[in-house]
Amino acid sequence: DAGVTQSPTHLIKTRGQQVTLRCSPKSGHDTVSWYQQALGQGPQFIFQYYEEEERQRGNFPDRFSGHQFPNYSSELNVNALLLGDSALYLCASSLGQGRTEAFFGQGTRLTVV
Amino acid sequence: SQKIEQNSEALNIQEGKTATLTCNYTNYSPAYLQWYRQDPGRGPVFLLLIRENEKEKRKERLKVTFDTTLKQSLFHITASQPADSATYLCALGRTGANNLFFGTGTRLTVIP
């Protein structure tokens, strides 16, 4: 049983560019959440998708957007990249909307230069 | 705004001893609290979940307590081993909200 898989594992982008990160949830899970983790900090919630809709959003600008597909996989898009967007981006899947443990992927390390 | 503090950035203990990590929160009424382990360059791994109406939870060498009056959770690892060395994160969840609020983590080093 595959856990949560994210791609790519590492990415280098130039300031101003756009990036798309991908996530496949754990088998049987229908909810995907995205987090941003800066170096030395805890993960910060970006948004959560359930039934192909964004259900909740953290304190992130509209440059951050996402999508969930019918097979529950998800994408995170970031437009107009800033140097401060450099971080580890984590995808977490769960069954239902909260109150259960989240299973995290290994993350995508994004570096903006 | 909510604030979650984990007692120290780093904690060093001798192998075999009990490690105790603290998670304090303010301006928050969590419905549940979770603890995760994170190794360098990896995603967090779920360890334990404790709900607001529970005082204590155990799993093998791990024990979590939850005191909603003190607004504090303690995470214990008994008979610690070098393999327990990692960063440990506490995360709070709230009724009606689906996201987790994470602390900054405590980096635990178990010295052989």
Side-chain angles (χ1 to χ4, degrees), chain A residues 33 35 37 40-45 48 55-56 88 90 97-107 109, chain B residues 31-32 34 36 38 41-46 49 51-52 89 95-105:
Chain A
S33 301
Y35 290 81
Q37 186 175 25
Q41 301 296 313
Q44 287 199 36
F45 176 74
Q48 183 182 80
R55 299 291 178 167
Q56 191 162 356
L88 182 68
L90 296 163
Q97 291 182 271
R99 303 202 69 142
T100 62
E101 62 268 31
F103 289 80
F104 283 83
Q106 81 282 7
R109 171 68 64 187
Chain B
Y32 58 93
Q34 303 183 18
Y36 288 81
Q38 187 172 27
R42 312 283 298 188
V45 174
F46 171 80
L49 179 151
R51 303 186 190 281
E52 59 183 335
L89 299 159
T95 302
N98 301 316
N99 55 306
L100 293 172
F101 291 97
F102 281 87
T104 54

Side-chain angles (χ1 to χ4, degrees), chain A residues 11-19 36-39 60-61 63-64 78-89 109-113:
Chain A
L11 202 53
I12 299 175
K13 287 287 190 177
T14 302
R15 188 172 50 182
Q17 284 188 315
Q18 178 264 346
V19 69
Q36 180 195 67
Q37 186 175 25
L39 206 59
F60 279 81
R63 298 187 297 109
F64 291 76
V78 187
N79 294 323
L81 285 167
L82 304 173
L83 297 180
D85 294 331
S86 296
L88 182 68
Y89 287 85
R109 171 68 64 187
L110 173 65
T111 302
V112 182
V113 297

Side-chain angles (χ1 to χ4, degrees), chain B:
Chain B
S1 63
Q2 54 269 5
K3 192 175 179 182
I4 303 166
E5 291 183 334
Q6 294 192 237
N7 58 324
S8 57
E9 196 172 305
L11 181 65
N12 296 332
I13 63 165
Q14 208 68 37
E15 181 176 4
K17 300 292 186 184
T18 296
T20 298
L21 284 63
T22 305
C23 177
N24 295 296
Y25 58 93
T26 58
N27 300 329
Y28 205 82
S29 296
Y32 58 93
L33 188 149
Q34 303 183 18
W35 284 87
Y36 288 81
R37 169 187 172 135
Q38 187 172 27
D39 292 288
R42 312 283 298 188
V45 174
F46 171 80
L47 296 174
L48 282 167
L49 179 151
I50 187 166
R51 303 186 190 281
E52 59 183 335
N53 60 346
E54 298 175 318
K55 295 294 184 186
E56 183 178 297
K57 256 310 182 43
R58 291 175 185 262
K59 180 182 176 182
E60 298 171 354
R61 295 185 295 111
L62 309 179
K63 184 178 86 171
V64 172
T65 62
F66 194 7
D67 189 325
T68 55
T69 302
L70 292 178
K71 295 183 181 291
Q72 181 182 80
S73 174
L74 298 179
F75 177 77
H76 307 272
I77 305 175
T78 59
S80 59
Q81 305 165 1
D84 296 326
S85 299
T87 294
Y88 291 85
L89 299 159
C90 73
L92 278 62
R94 192 171 51 186
T95 302
N98 301 316
N99 55 306
L100 293 172
F101 291 97
F102 281 87
T104 54
T106 296
R107 188 172 67 252
L108 174 68
T109 302
V110 180
I111 303 165

